[in-house]
Amino acid sequence: MIKIAVLETQNVNKNFSGLQALKNVSVTLKKQQIIGLIGPNGSGKSTLFNLITNVISQDEETTGNILFEGKIINDQKMHLLAREGLVRTFQVTQIFPKLTVLENMLIASQFHPGENLKKVLVDVFRKLLHKSTWEEEELTFAKKAMEILDFLEISHLAKEKAEVLSGGQRKLLALGRALMTSGKVILLDEPVAGVNPVLSNRIFEKIDQLRKESTTFFIVEHNMDVIMESSDHVFVLSKGEIIADGSPKEIQENPNVLDAYLGDEGE
Amino acid sequence: MQTSRLYLKGHRILLIIGGWFSSFILLTFLLSFVIPNPLNLTLPLFSYAGIFGIAALSLNLEVGVTGISNFGKIAFFMVGCYTTGLMYLFKFPIFIAIPIGMVVAGFFGYLLALPTLDLREDYLAITTIAVGEIVRTVLRAETWIAWPQNRSEAGGTLGLTVENIFRSNITSDLVLGNIVLPSTLIADFLFLFSITAVFLLVYLFVEIIYNSPFGRVLKSIRDNDLAAESLGVDIVEYRIKAFVVSSALAGLAGGIWALYIVGFSPDGFPPYYTFFLWIIVIIGGIGNNRGVIFGSLLVWSIEYISRTLTGDIDTLVSRIVGILNPLSDFYQQISSHIPIIGDFLLSLNPISFFQEIVVINPPEYYPQFFFGILLILFLIYRPKGIFPERPIQTVAELAVSEHVNKTDSVIEEADGNDDRVGR
Ligand SMILES: Nc1ncnc2c1ncn2[C@@H]1O[C@H](COP(=O)(O)OP(=O)(O)OP(=O)(O)O)[C@@H](O)[C@H]1O
Ligand SMILES: [Mg+2]
């Protein structure tokens, strides 16, 4: 079976006033795969995610292309990407502290009619006439959210403000929100950092299951065991360059990779 | 399903109406012991509180819900006030004049939103302060914005004079047996009822917005715009919508103000009023609409009652100083016996200092002084305000309670099994 590329970067570069964070990075994500992205601290993994989702823009002189489902998305705004199905989480967990956990999840629901002001106002009158309103979709989304929260073992906190969650729970919430969007490609930046190993294994099982259904995952993870076990393909970044890519087995046997992790001490 | 309970919240509206009018009666009653004609105080007081309450609700939509720090709120109020006033003078009926004021204020908000809403919060605050001042200055400088026209050589400084529609339409006193109700009293009562009705409608409107997924998105932008954007929220679009709706509501408040206050000029809209609205929102409860209603009443009570009661402050102060004078003399005698620094100490005489402060600060500043202290105390001890923000209520709650029931029954089953095993 030929799998098509859903997300691709072609020679993207990023220079932070002198520091070359990414140098001619090209990666290809095939549909329904789990792709790992590893590399030492500061090798540019998060920066690559930021470039793909346009949180920061590429260098002007040396612009490469970023393609999502075959379309160039170089300057596409992040929220439009999310709407089209390219979703991400952040390494530093981003939550809505004053919203409840359930509300956090519901923000991630896509194409919710109740998020349209006009619809909200019109539905006040429809409600009085006992016609259907956005509340139907709201309930459906809320049920879906509760299922995801249940899976992530934080459903008992649904009505708590997100600011009371612990660090690990916040990671889970951010992951839950990403799953809630039903995105086609989900970029996860260290999704299980600080999550207990049992739950983190179950999360990767879930990711594997979702992948089989239709989603593609691009995952930054420092836990080698987990990433090697679950990925179909792994890219290795070192000092802003892709130094190796291949199946987990190939990566584990590649001496360059070990060198990169040992860093300058090896020289 | 009990979904309709979550939507319109009729019981809460009744609670607010009850609270509003019972505090009106109570305050009038209490004041009747202090001043001869308490209605002269409470009628305008509650009318001001209602009008400013509308503006404060709209500020809350920006600041409390969407996280837009607008420090130029008075500009939108002023735009609504002037537009409605002019429309009225052009002989439009008020139910057209007021909506036009809202539309113009909303459009003004839209024009301002386009270039500014992606500014960082602090820059936005500075910009909005400037806009408030600019609008005031322009209205003062434009000679044609003055009515009656014969005053136009004074520029816009004299402002507009319109009519109190209730007072000019109700001219005959109402006689009920022995009691004679003066026409002005009836008119003022009717005006207060109308203001209250509009106020409640606006409250309902913002509550509907607040308790909807739309309101939830606004809150998410306030909490973390990066995260909101990453989940597909067009933050600029939502902020503009919130800003325009809120500006139109401020325009509504301004329009009612024009008809109530009758004569107004640019200098009647000092920046102080913007901060007044902020105080209402902060003390009442940022992000809580009921809190804002309460805050408006509280803050206006303090302002208006102290304004009235301190009318005679000079005699009061001179009486206090009269009592303290022997102390002052004593202080002077003592310090004149001290060598070298005696003269310096003399100049520090606390009693004359007190007297001077009172003299250079006219009584209308006392409430501001008090609000300053109140604000600091609130920000330290109760930053969430009297009524803290609460989570929005939608049918999503049903999913949670359903879920809880489900898991409960699973647990019960498991317990039951355990029991059987135990036996
Ligand atoms: N906004 C920025 N401004 C300046 N330098 C930056 C910025 N973001 C990242 N960098 C630099 O770019 C390099 C790559 O950072 P990046 O965050 O992508 O690393 P990473 O691979 O995600 O590391 P880690 O595993 O620690 O998360 C680092 O040297 C970092 O200092
Ligand atoms: Mg990183």
Side-chain angles (χ1 to χ4, degrees), chain B residues 17 31 72 114 149 200 202 210 225 233-234 260 300 315 339 402:
Chain B
I17 297 177
L31 282 173
L114 286 181
Q149 276 297 320
L200 289 174
V202 170
Y210 185 87
D225 51 356
V233 173
D234 186 345
Y260 184 78
W300 262 107
T315 41
E402 230 169 70

Side-chain angles (χ1 to χ4, degrees), chain B residues 72 83 93 125 214 227 254 262 268 277 301 325 409:
Chain B
T83 313
F214 178 80
V262 175
L277 293 171
S301 302
N325 254 343
S409 60

Side-chain angles (χ1 to χ4, degrees), chain B residues 78-88 97 100-102 104-105 160:
Chain B
M78 217 186 312
V79 168
C81 188
Y82 263 84
T83 313
T84 305
L86 285 173
M87 287 299 122
Y88 184 81
I100 292 180
M102 291 175 68
V104 172
L160 305 179

Side-chain angles (χ1 to χ4, degrees), chain A residues 3 186 199:
Chain A
K3 294 203 166 165
I186 299 183
L199 183 54

Side-chain angles (χ1 to χ4, degrees), chain B residues 242-277:
Chain B
F243 198 69
V244 170
V245 168
S246 152
S247 303
L249 290 180
L252 169 65
I256 302 175
W257 182 259
L259 299 174
Y260 184 78
I261 206 83
V262 175
F264 51 89
S265 65
D267 293 325
F269 303 91
Y272 170 52
Y273 275 176
T274 296
F275 294 97
F276 205 75
L277 293 171

Side-chain angles (χ1 to χ4, degrees), chain A residues 14-17 19-22 37-50 56 91 189-190 220-222 237 239-240:
Chain A
K14 184 68 202 179
N15 194 316
F16 289 115
S17 46
L19 179 99
Q20 193 73 27
L22 289 176
L37 179 60
I38 60 173
N41 290 124
S43 55
K45 306 183 292 296
S46 301
T47 305
L48 181 59
F49 276 17
N50 286 343
I56 53 179
Q91 179 171 10
D189 202 341
E190 305 194 11
V220 170
E221 184 52 60
H222 281 299
L237 262 179
K239 294 179 184 156

Side-chain angles (χ1 to χ4, degrees), chain A residues 26 39 53 55-56 67 99 111 119 126 128 137 167 169 171 187-188 190 197 212 218 221 224 238 250 254 256 267:
Chain A
S26 302
T53 52
V55 174
I56 53 179
L67 294 97
L99 300 192
F111 305 105
K119 173 86 176 148
R126 289 177 61 91
L128 294 176
E137 283 90 350
Q169 286 169 334
K171 273 271 162 188
L187 315 183
L188 300 174
E190 305 194 11
K212 280 174 191 141
F218 196 17
E221 184 52 60
M224 285 305 147
S238 174
E250 288 165 3
N254 190 330
N256 289 343
E267 282 167 15

